[in-house]
Amino acid sequence: MRQELMSLPKTLAEDVARNLVMVARLLDEDADLAYGYSRVALRLASRVAAVREAAGFASYATERYAEALAEFRACRRMTGTVDLWPVMADCERGMGRPERALEMAGASEVHKLDRAGQVEMRLVAAGARRDMGQNDAAVVTLQSPELASNAVHPWTARLRYAYADALLAAGREDEAREWFAKSLEADQSGSTDASDRLAQLDGVAFVDALDDADDEQPAADETAAEDRDGVADSVDGGNAAEDEVTEAAEGEAGDDEGRKDREAGDAGEPDVDLTDEADPTAFLDDPFKEPSKNTEG
């Protein structure tokens, strides 16, 4: 790639290189952002094969299979190599054309691939068989010297995993479990979820402790709230009882004062004279004024 970029002016080459570096860094973490950087590099240097390849992989990672296939084809025309043949066939699968992928798996270009490339082509062909509902044929497609070998290569875990998955789709669960275990043994980089698949087959369910804590927290909060409400009710009840006692005491005191007032009234205050001599209309001028007693003049 460095040699290809040297054909560009220095400043332009540096700009393109920076964008390609970002594509490589982000491709696995944020494919959409990597795709954006690849489009910038493509606008700057569309005649550089490395740029077309990077744009192809960014499109492939974001499932833009038609764009990816176009970029891979352009790169192949520029370089004349067949290294991208398996991923080009997988783009055909992504576009809903598994028959085309199988045709590419039987093409002469496959014989020009290295061992890793041939394994990738076998994986794509098996996937195409499964796309067509041919699960037993997918199992047969993956049976190869590379699968039977005890040696561990970068592609070994993925090959064994694909074989286990095909066996499970074909209804051969016991064999599938065996090959998921073999995939896990070879998966030194954690590229597959073979351990999870084994757990599923064994009926083991994993529970996230953090999720459980989150679920229990609202219940704890509700319990605490109920306890606080209970304490508040008890306090209110005690206050109400105290108020009743106070009111009763005040009532008794009022009765005593009323009794004393009545006794004092009986002893000294004169009665109001409401005989006929009193003027019944005297309070009409002031409805709140008590009729006064008539005095003889």
Side-chain angles (χ1 to χ4, degrees):
M1 180 177 68
R2 183 181 180 84
Q3 186 175 0
E4 293 180 39
L5 292 178
M6 288 178 63
S7 64
L8 301 174
K10 183 178 179 180
T11 303
L12 179 59
E14 291 175 353
D15 290 342
V16 174
R18 279 194 291 267
N19 282 281
L20 293 180
V21 168
M22 294 305 297
V23 172
R25 287 181 179 178
L26 296 169
L27 196 59
D28 293 331
E29 299 177 5
D30 191 337
D32 288 323
L33 190 55
Y35 175 79
Y37 280 106
S38 74
R39 303 313 289 181
V40 174
L42 193 60
R43 287 196 298 269
L44 294 174
S46 61
R47 296 185 179 181
V48 175
V51 172
R52 304 303 289 265
E53 182 177 347
F57 277 110
S59 298
Y60 179 80
T62 55
E63 299 183 2
R64 295 175 169 90
Y65 298 115
E67 288 185 21
L69 185 57
E71 299 301 336
F72 290 143
R73 285 174 174 169
C75 182
R76 182 167 177 263
R77 287 194 300 270
M78 293 176 179
T79 61
T81 64
V82 295
D83 295 345
L84 297 173
W85 195 255
V87 70
M88 291 170 63
D90 206 36
C91 287
E92 295 285 0
R93 282 187 60 210
M95 295 167 64
R97 300 192 298 226
E99 299 87 353
R100 176 59 183 154
L102 287 176
E103 290 177 9
M104 294 180 68
S108 59
E109 284 82 355
V110 175
H111 300 291
K112 300 176 184 179
L113 295 170
D114 59 13
R115 193 177 182 189
Q118 291 182 0
V119 170
E120 291 296 330
M121 193 70 248
R122 194 175 290 275
L123 290 169
V124 173
R129 291 291 185 187
R130 292 189 59 181
D131 291 344
M132 299 168 66
Q134 302 173 3
N135 294 323
D136 292 327
V139 171
V140 174
T141 300
L142 292 169
Q143 293 172 348
S144 61
E146 291 82 10
L147 180 67
S149 174
N150 292 323
V152 176
H153 300 280
W155 37 260
T156 301
R158 292 176 53 242
L159 179 60
R160 293 177 178 178
Y161 183 94
Y163 187 60
D165 203 27
L167 287 168
L168 189 61
R172 297 158 65 174
E173 185 173 318
D174 292 339
E175 294 175 80
R177 191 192 184 288
E178 176 186 352
W179 281 96
F180 276 128
K182 290 182 178 181
S183 174
L184 183 60
E185 292 175 0
D187 194 1
Q188 300 174 352
S189 62
S191 60
T192 71
D193 63 344
S195 60
D196 293 339
R197 300 298 296 276
L198 278 171
Q200 290 176 2
L201 290 175
D202 291 339
V204 177
F206 294 101
V207 178
D208 192 334
L210 294 178
D211 291 342
D212 288 346
D214 292 340
D215 292 340
E216 292 173 0
Q217 186 62 36
D221 293 342
E222 290 176 4
T223 302
E226 291 175 358
D227 292 341
R228 289 194 297 271
D229 292 341
V231 172
D233 292 341
S234 298
V235 173
D236 292 341
N239 292 337
E242 292 179 1
D243 292 341
E244 291 178 0
V245 172
T246 302
E247 290 175 0
E250 292 175 350
E252 292 177 359
D255 292 341
D256 291 340
E257 292 179 359
R259 184 170 59 253
K260 292 177 180 179
D261 291 341
R262 288 193 298 274
E263 291 175 354
D266 292 341
E269 291 186 2
D271 292 335
V272 177
D273 186 0
L274 297 180
T275 62
D276 293 339
E277 295 179 358
D279 183 2
T281 64
F283 67 95
L284 291 179
D285 294 336
D286 186 354
F288 297 102
K289 182 178 180 181
E290 186 177 313
S292 61
K293 181 178 179 182
N294 262 343
T295 56
E296 294 180 356

